[in-house]
Each structure stands twice: as structure tokens, then as C-alpha cells.
Amino acid sequence: MTQTLKTKVLIIGAGTGGYVAGIRCGQLGLETVLVDGGDGLGGTCLNVGCIPSKAIIHAASKFETVSKAAGGGTLGITAAKPAIDLAQTTAWKDGIVKKLNAGVAGLLKRSRVKVINGWAEFTDAKTCTVRTADGDIIISAEHVILATGSEPVELPFLKFGGDVLSSTEALSLSEVPIKLVVVGGGYIGLELGIAFRKLGAEVAIVEMADRLLPLYDKALTDPVQKWLEKHGVELHLGAKAGSFEKGALNVTDKDGKALKLKADKVLVTVGRKPRTQGWGLENMGVAMAGPFVKIDDRCATSMKNVWAVGDLTGEPMLAHKGSTQGEIVAERIAGHDKVFNPVTIAAVCFTEPEIVSAGLGPLDVEGRDDVIQAVFPLAAIGRALAIEAGEDGGFVRVLASKSDHRLLGVQAVGQHVAELSNSFAQMLEMGAVLEDVAGIIHVHPTLGEAFHEASLRALGHAIHI
């Protein structure tokens, strides 16, 4: 039997953009229905992306620490040779996801958001049919928020399945592969490749570009490449992956030579694409911007009262961007004058070491003589040395306008620098100048002192170098 339902706001997708939009709509007193037909409450980030990957990365780092202690000792600590039961680690990771799922469900319930589990398909811009386990529900709404997210890009010659994995399957393995080949040297491939190397897998990385993480400048990526080389990760840069046959990946190297890389598993991480198929987007009459749904600074599409947030709307495909957009759309539907116009959206690579970038970097200001750049090494920070974070070439770098000292960008590479990202974004969003950062009393001993010292250095008077 088909049911019908009318609502003020209909949200499609329960990821970080969709569920946050739902909670805020509920807080603002808007009758809201949230349709979840994907990865579960929390979407890709909570279920098969950000959170589970960071859990596995954390476990891998713990394992590496014990392995060092067993291999001759570290910091005066010795230990017996460790073992890893990846099935137990995965179960622990799944427990974290389950707890967060329940938390999101509780928040939505408290905000009086009706959650429907099922797959939606639109017949027009404001009407969809949701197929659920209990039958079809036709939903019509005054406002529609599209938050369908993204999915891994599949290569035609390396279809997902069996021993060819996307990041989703890689995060649910029950055993550490003996030999893992990662196709794609972006942040997802490197994060997981490094984690599995720490867990004992032999890892090779195949990247088409001539260097890793090509969207970042070389100074930021060099410490990561040095870690990979030091830990025996095989790098094939400027190389093209081919088919996977009989336990070997066919690769053409930068010189055109054919190689066969033995592998138990092949992890394909060549990017993500917006999830635009299978839910009737073509029936909604919204304008597109290439593969993405086109929006303005209100997150409004070309169709009245149809909004879009998150990965569906374009780069950067970051969870915190989607969440912010979700809040803004809820505010606008409630009649508040909000726009999405951030100064910066900071990004983090949870590699070894970590990379943070906010605002403009050297590649963005190349050739300009009106910009000050200053770098301060973590090796000169006491806290960094005390937690072994100052020995891998890490640093904090600031870029500022030469005329008025306005901060234009901040980057960092080093262990644990992800925790500096919010400070970087905050200073840029508030329009800080170098003197603002220099005038803040930074807590000692912390890694944040490197931001302080880099700003002092840009002004010509760093203290500890």
C-alpha cells in the first residue's frame, strides 16, 4: 500500500550535510523529513570514511609504537613483539561507528525530525517516491534539500569487487594484506596505505602524477614522501595502472616499461564523484556545473526552494563544508539572511606526518612580490621534540600581505598538526594580521607555538630561531 506524506522540508541524504540540516531545521521549528538511503545516519564520513579511517589510522600508529619498542626499544621502553588481529580492530572501529550512529539518531529524534529509511526517486522538483521495507511513500515538500554526497570513482579496467577494493572495503578487512598495491597517491590512498604499512603490509603506490599529493606544494609533501621511502613503501610515480590478473597489477611506469606488481589486494583511490544517479535528479530541472549541482552563495539551486549541500555541490568535498552549508540552508528556510561565503575551508591529510592547509599557499601566489612568506620548523619547538614530532622535517608556514600584514594562508606539516587547523581557519576567517597572531600569548609547551613563531618570523623577529 502506498502512503502519502506532506512536509515543510524534505532532506535527501543523511550525511554530514543532510543530518546537520535536519537538526537545525528541527531546532528552528520546521517540520522536517529526512530520507536515508545510503551509508546510514552520518553518511560516508561517519560510516565508511572520515571516522572509521581515523580509527584504523590510530590503531595502526599504536601498533607501530609497540613494534618499535619490540625492535630494539624506543624512549627507553621495550616490549615483546606485537600481533594484530585486524578482525578485532575492525570490530572496535565498528563499535565507534555504531555509537555515533546512535548519537545522530538521538539528536534527530530530539529535534523532531522524521527519519525514513529507503531510496528516494524524484518525479518532479518537489515530489519523490521513497521505497522502504514496508512499502512506498510518496512525499511532497515545500522545500527540498539535496545532500546525496559522493561515491568512489571506479576505473573501468579495475572494477570494485573481490580483491579490488574501494576505501569502504579496505576499512572492513579482517586480515592485513601481505602485499597491498594502492592506485592513486591522493590523501585517501596515502592515509590508508600508510596505515596498512604500519600494520605490517608490504605497500606499493601507483600515481599518475610525477609526485604524491599533487594539489599540495612540494615542501608540504616532501616529509610524507620521505616517511614512505624510509619505511619501504614502493613508489611508482608518473605511472599508469592497468588490469589486475592472477595476483598481479599491470603497471606502465614513467618510461613506458611494463611492470607486474604482485598484490593480495588492490586499493583503488583515484577520487570521488558526486552521487547524481538513481534518484531522479534529471526530473528536477536544476542547473548543473559540470558533474555537480550548481548553487549560489545561499546554496540555492536554479529551481525555487530546492537547495543542495555538501559533495553534490563541488569541491572541496569535505564533511565540514557540507555541515556548514546544511546549517545555512536551514536558517534561510526559516527566514534568516545567511550566505555561504567562507574565507577559507581548511583541509587536513591524516598522513605520516599530517598536513594542514588553510587559505592561499605558495602555488597560489607564485610570482607575486606583495606577499610575505615565513616558515618555522617544528624541530625548534620543545613540545614537538618531547613527543617525537620534530624530527621529520615538519614546519608551520604563514603567508601574509606585505602591505598590511593581513594573513592570506597558513600551512603545516608534522605529527599531530591536524589539531592546529581550527586555529589557522579562525585567524583567517577573522581577518587577522600577523601582529594579531604575534600578540596572542600562546601556551607553552604546545605545537601551536610554531604558528606564533612563524608569524614573528614574518615580522622579522622570531625568538627561537
Side-chain angles (χ1 to χ4, degrees):
M1 181 177 175
T2 301
Q3 301 178 54
T4 59
L5 184 65
K6 291 186 177 181
T7 185
K8 175 79 172 181
V9 182
L10 169 63
I11 303 170
I12 306 299
T16 48
Y19 88 74
V20 169
I23 291 170
R24 190 69 186 116
C25 282
Q27 291 173 343
L28 291 164
L30 302 170
E31 182 189 21
T32 303
V33 173
L34 172 64
V35 177
D36 169 29
D39 299 305
L41 295 178
T44 295
C45 179
L46 192 156
N47 292 278
V48 294
C50 317
I51 301 301
S53 67
K54 302 316 167 283
I56 295 297
I57 288 167
H58 174 70
S61 294
K62 291 282 189 183
F63 184 80
E64 182 192 35
T65 298
V66 180
S67 297
K68 284 181 179 178
T74 178
L75 310 179
I77 302 167
T78 55
K81 185 178 180 180
I84 179 77
D85 184 337
L86 192 59
Q88 286 191 35
T89 306
T90 299
W92 164 76
K93 174 266 294 180
D94 290 342
I96 294 170
V97 170
K98 187 176 180 181
K99 182 182 291 187
L100 291 170
N101 277 146
V104 171
L107 292 168
L108 289 165
K109 184 177 181 180
R110 190 171 68 183
S111 297
R112 297 176 298 283
V113 175
K114 182 178 179 62
V115 177
I116 298 175
N117 295 306
W119 191 259
E121 186 166 347
F122 282 84
T123 51
D124 61 45
K126 307 289 174 54
T127 310
C128 73
T129 299
V130 181
R131 290 174 173 79
T132 75
D134 299 320
D136 292 353
I137 305 173
I138 297 174
I139 307 175
S140 59
E142 186 179 333
H143 292 266
V144 173
I145 303 175
L146 303 176
T148 56
S150 63
E151 58 195 3
V153 171
E154 186 177 53
L155 295 172
F157 49 86
L158 278 175
K159 296 282 188 181
F160 296 134
D163 293 326
V164 178
L165 316 174
S166 73
S167 56
T168 299
E169 293 81 41
L171 289 167
S172 296
L173 291 174
S174 58
E175 294 181 349
V176 178
I178 297 172
K179 292 180 181 291
L180 174 69
V181 176
V182 179
V183 178
Y187 76 95
I188 297 173
L190 289 183
E191 286 182 3
L192 294 179
I194 288 170
F196 279 109
R197 181 69 192 109
K198 289 180 177 181
L199 291 172
E202 294 179 31
V203 177
I205 295 172
V206 179
E207 166 58 43
M208 285 186 66
D210 58 3
R211 64 184 186 84
L212 301 169
L213 297 166
L215 295 179
Y216 293 92
D217 65 271
K218 193 171 181 296
L220 285 176
T221 61
D222 273 351
V224 177
Q225 183 158 336
K226 287 175 183 175
W227 187 96
L228 294 168
E229 292 169 348
K230 179 181 177 181
H231 291 82
V233 175
E234 197 178 314
L235 299 179
H236 298 274
L237 304 178
K240 294 181 180 179
S243 59
F244 180 59
E245 301 168 329
K246 298 178 181 178
L249 180 71
N250 293 301
V251 174
T252 305
D253 73 8
K254 62 181 179 180
D255 300 318
K257 181 181 177 183
L259 306 173
K260 287 186 179 293
L261 302 182
K262 290 184 178 180
D264 302 294
K265 304 288 182 185
V266 175
L267 171 58
V268 180
T269 58
V270 293
R272 296 184 66 84
K273 61 182 180 180
R275 191 176 280 126
T276 57
Q277 303 297 314
W279 50 271
L281 176 63
E282 63 277 6
N283 299 323
M284 301 186 72
V286 301
M288 303 295 288
F292 303 104
V293 171
K294 185 178 181 180
I295 59 170
D296 60 17
D297 63 0
R298 303 168 298 150
C299 300
T301 72
S302 59
M303 180 63 69
K304 184 180 179 182
N305 291 348
V306 176
W307 317 80
V309 302
D311 291 1
L312 186 64
T313 66
E315 298 287 355
M317 291 188 184
L318 297 171
H320 41 290
K321 180 196 82 171
S323 295
T324 302
Q325 290 178 321
E327 287 187 69
I328 285 169
V329 170
E331 295 271 353
R332 289 208 69 93
I333 293 173
H336 303 297
D337 186 19
K338 291 274 189 171
V339 295
F340 181 70
N341 186 29
V343 172
T344 185
I345 303 174
V348 177
C349 293
F350 290 86
T351 44
E352 187 66 59
E354 295 170 350
I355 296 174
V356 177
S357 183
L360 301 181
L363 299 177
D364 301 307
V365 299
E366 207 165 16
R368 288 175 54 176
D369 59 4
D370 61 338
V371 176
I372 306 168
Q373 295 189 46
V375 172
F376 194 85
L378 292 180
I381 296 294
R383 171 68 170 164
L385 295 177
I387 60 173
E388 299 182 283
E391 302 168 359
D392 51 18
F395 60 83
V396 172
R397 176 178 61 209
V398 297
L399 289 83
S401 168
K402 193 175 287 186
S403 60
D404 61 4
H405 293 177
R406 185 80 56 196
L407 278 178
L408 302 174
V410 193
Q411 292 83 42
V413 58
Q415 291 182 53
H416 312 296
V417 296
E419 300 307 321
L420 301 179
S421 57
N422 294 314
S423 177
F424 296 169
Q426 182 182 33
M427 289 294 100
L428 287 164
E429 198 67 43
M430 294 179 70
V433 295
L434 291 170
E435 287 83 357
D436 291 325
V437 184
I440 295 170
I441 300 176
H442 286 68
V443 175
H444 174 77
T446 63
L447 296 182
E449 291 178 274
F451 186 18
H452 183 237
E453 290 276 9
S455 299
L456 288 174
R457 195 174 196 185
L459 293 168
H461 54 86
I463 301 297
H464 290 98
I465 198 169

